Amino acid sequence: MIRSRRSSTNKNRKFLLLLIPAIFIILVVFIFKSNFLKITQIEVLSNANCVDESIKDKSNLLNKNLFFLNQDQLSNEIKGKFICIKKVKFSKILPSKIRLEVEGRAPMFKLALIKDWEASAASLIDNTATPSAHLTEIFISDEEGVIFSKENVENLPVINYLGKDISIGVVDDLLKKAVIILPKLNSEGLQTKNTYILSNLFILNTTPKVIFDLNEDINMQFASLQLILHKAKIEGVALELIDLRFDKPVIKYAPKKK
């Protein structure tokens, strides 16, 4: 009798062990194949100027399963179609609705594109060239260096980009580095209203004039700049030029006033 009960218990356990995976498989198939949990509604909350109702179709979310979304991939696809979008947050609302919270890129800089620039870097450094005479287009960039608009935005710092053809949607490596430099210069009390990118150079065309090499370590160059400015302040001397392209930066002092 005891053996019979044990045998019956073992059979029940084996049955349950087979039943549980079977139920799981049935549920998975049901979720994938049925209309249950398939997205039929999309709600969009957005502060991005370039986003309109078309994002609902272009997001490719309709009829996708709510629980099996590759959010990173979908976010990248949406941002690729709407360049003004910086971030997309997905919120699932059972059983068949999803909310897109869209954050737009914030305009941080104007990029004055000067395509037909033929003068040399030396002529710009020596103030023998006039880039403004060749101005062709104005673009808007955010703090990541993404060029996302051509709308006119007032009161933004201007970076003059010389001798290059760019367009909306471009993520420019040199611009990304220049964008890192600008707030650092502001933190040192330097004016950044007159700046240029030419080839691999970033030029602050004020007093003192400062030159960075965008192909080299920006943090190292900025550390050198801080030391030079600090020393000049202690010594009470005025600086005319700080060229950070070299291992030993080139420094030119302003003539002493008589």
Side-chain angles (χ1 to χ4, degrees):
M1 180 69 71
I2 294 174
R3 288 182 179 177
S4 177
R5 288 178 179 176
R6 286 179 178 174
S7 176
S8 176
T9 301
N10 289 336
K11 287 181 179 179
N12 289 337
R13 287 177 179 172
K14 289 180 180 179
F15 177 74
L16 287 173
L17 290 173
L18 292 173
L19 182 61
I20 291 171
I23 293 174
F24 177 76
I25 291 171
I26 291 171
L27 286 174
V28 170
V29 171
F30 174 75
I31 290 172
F32 268 107
K33 297 296 185 180
S34 73
N35 290 326
F36 184 68
L37 296 179
K38 281 191 175 180
I39 297 171
T40 59
Q41 290 180 282
I42 301 173
E43 180 184 358
V44 180
L45 303 177
S46 172
N47 67 352
N49 293 336
C50 71
V51 172
D52 54 27
E53 285 295 310
S54 68
I55 192 174
K56 294 181 179 180
D57 292 326
K58 293 180 179 179
S59 64
N60 292 325
L61 286 167
L62 287 173
N63 296 319
K64 279 189 166 55
N65 190 281
L66 199 62
F67 278 166
F68 298 96
L69 296 177
N70 186 332
Q71 295 187 18
D72 289 338
Q73 179 182 339
L74 287 167
S75 176
N76 289 332
E77 289 177 359
I78 292 171
K79 288 191 290 184
K81 294 171 182 176
F82 297 88
I83 194 62
C84 75
I85 294 177
K86 181 180 181 180
K87 189 183 298 182
V88 182
K89 179 182 177 183
F90 298 85
S91 299
K92 301 169 184 177
I93 304 171
L94 294 176
S96 59
K97 182 177 178 179
I98 193 163
R99 177 184 295 128
L100 302 182
E101 297 177 53
V102 177
E103 179 185 338
R105 297 186 180 278
M108 295 296 291
F109 307 96
K110 286 184 182 180
L111 194 64
L113 183 62
I114 305 171
K115 293 182 182 180
D116 58 347
W117 179 258
E118 296 179 355
S120 66
S123 64
L124 178 61
I125 294 169
D126 294 336
N127 292 325
T128 58
T130 54
S132 59
H134 303 271
L135 179 63
T136 56
E137 292 180 275
I138 296 287
F139 293 90
I140 303 299
S141 170
D142 70 351
E143 77 281 0
E144 295 178 345
V146 178
I147 301 164
F148 68 94
S149 175
K150 291 185 72 174
E151 63 181 318
N152 186 24
V153 180
E154 300 294 334
N155 302 319
L156 289 180
V158 179
I159 299 177
N160 298 281
Y161 209 149
L162 311 181
K164 189 167 183 177
D165 190 6
I166 58 175
S167 59
I168 291 176
V170 170
V171 182
D172 188 87
D173 290 336
L174 293 179
L175 182 60
K176 285 171 68 175
K177 293 181 179 179
V179 166
I180 293 172
I181 293 172
L182 283 177
K184 291 179 177 289
L185 295 175
N186 286 325
S187 70
E188 294 299 319
L190 297 173
Q191 295 295 320
T192 56
K193 294 181 179 179
N194 197 9
T195 58
Y196 299 88
I197 298 175
L198 174 58
S199 185
N200 62 311
L201 302 183
F202 177 84
I203 302 171
L204 175 64
N205 197 27
T206 56
T207 302
K209 182 172 290 186
V210 183
I211 305 167
F212 287 84
D213 187 338
L214 296 176
N215 287 337
E216 299 298 330
D217 190 310
I218 298 300
N219 291 325
M220 289 288 291
Q221 293 176 76
F222 186 72
S224 296
L225 175 63
Q226 285 181 306
L227 290 173
I228 293 167
L229 293 174
H230 181 67
K231 183 179 178 182
K233 187 175 181 179
I234 291 174
E235 295 177 350
V237 295
L239 298 170
E240 192 171 282
L241 172 70
I242 306 170
D243 193 339
L244 302 166
R245 290 176 289 174
F246 312 100
D247 292 337
K248 292 184 178 181
V250 174
I251 303 170
K252 184 177 180 181
Y253 295 94
K256 291 184 179 180
K257 295 181 180 180
K258 296 181 179 180

